[in-house]
Amino acid sequence: MKILVIGANGQIGRLFCQYAAEAGVPVCAMIRSPEQQSFFEALGVETVIADLEGDFRHAIYGCDQVLFAAGSGPHTGLDKTLMIDLHGAIRAIDLAREIGVTRFMMISTLHTDPLEGPEKLRPYLAAKHAADTHLIASTLPYVILRPGRLTDESASGRIATSRDTASSDAISRADVAKAALSVIQRRDIKDRELVLLDGNEPLNDALC
């Protein structure tokens, strides 16, 4: 088992790679430039140089699962939203299906209806909605993680997978990364959408 992490140099991607290395789970971090390699080399994590906006087919070969943790970020323009959150995600899904990946995990958002979001977030939410819809229709086994408002708090190890039992509308990036790793290690979890919020249930129990 090897997991390709698309968006490995992002905040959740880095945390996921760190936790995976600590757990002995083999991952391959997809990064855009050699300057980003040192962090992953220190973890003992394999890297592959590839650009989500270019040709990245070679990065998927040899990996049987994909974690899509990439995002254009809050400080980019609509061009990056289209190229990364929409087109990049759809191309990754299509290539994963073509190459024969056994499961595709998408880190998405809790809300993807652009009409319900703030005006400045509507293009991003529309992109995420379209990418998620494409994944569900792709015939690839999938898991879509739907975290709430992201924070930089330390991992608590306790979450909720329902808004009815959540203690807040937020969740730490660290707990999202830990949840992603837990799901990656569970082959029985597939074709599901999982809400991730702060809660009181132990993470592994909540994901059952």
Side-chain angles (χ1 to χ4, degrees):
M1 176 180 75
K2 184 189 291 186
I3 302 98
L4 176 68
V5 184
I6 298 176
N9 201 50
Q11 294 181 75
I12 293 175
R14 281 189 165 215
L15 287 165
F16 176 86
C17 289
Q18 177 183 332
Y19 298 147
E22 292 169 355
V25 175
V27 300
C28 180
M30 182 172 134
I31 55 178
R32 285 186 297 175
S33 68
E35 288 75 20
Q36 298 173 341
Q37 281 181 312
S38 59
F39 173 83
F40 302 98
E41 288 176 346
L43 296 175
V45 168
E46 177 186 347
T47 60
V48 59
I49 307 296
D51 190 344
L52 192 58
E53 298 182 61
D55 182 9
F56 60 94
R57 174 187 296 268
H58 63 284
I60 301 178
Y61 287 118
C63 296
D64 70 331
Q65 297 191 72
V66 170
L67 171 64
F68 192 94
S72 57
H75 305 299
T76 59
L78 293 180
D79 56 336
K80 292 299 182 183
T81 299
L82 287 173
M83 290 305 297
I84 295 174
D85 301 296
L86 179 58
H87 189 57
I90 287 175
R91 288 179 63 227
I93 293 162
D94 290 346
L95 285 172
R97 179 181 57 195
E98 178 185 329
I99 290 170
V101 164
T102 62
R103 191 169 51 163
F104 194 107
M105 183 185 297
M106 177 77 77
I107 297 181
S108 186
T109 63
L110 181 60
H111 304 288
T112 57
D113 185 343
L115 299 182
E116 293 183 0
E119 186 173 353
K120 66 179 181 179
L121 284 180
R122 288 179 180 178
Y124 170 75
L125 295 176
K128 295 301 288 183
H129 177 77
D132 292 351
T133 300
H134 188 76
L135 176 58
I136 292 168
S138 71
T139 71
L140 266 175
Y142 69 88
V143 178
I144 299 175
L145 299 183
R146 298 200 176 281
R149 178 174 53 84
L150 296 171
T151 74
D152 292 323
E153 301 294 326
S154 300
S156 69
R158 292 182 173 274
I159 66 168
T161 55
S162 166
R163 280 173 276 187
D164 294 335
T165 58
S167 57
S168 80
D169 65 348
I171 188 168
S172 71
R173 291 177 174 86
D175 276 320
V176 174
K178 283 185 175 291
L181 180 60
S182 181
V183 172
I184 282 286
Q185 294 175 289
R186 292 273 306 277
R187 290 284 186 173
D188 58 309
I189 300 178
K190 61 181 180 179
D191 300 336
R192 290 179 62 186
E193 301 177 49
L194 295 170
V195 169
L196 297 178
L197 294 167
D198 285 333
N200 297 311
E201 193 171 4
L203 188 149
N204 287 330
D205 294 343
L207 295 173
C208 289

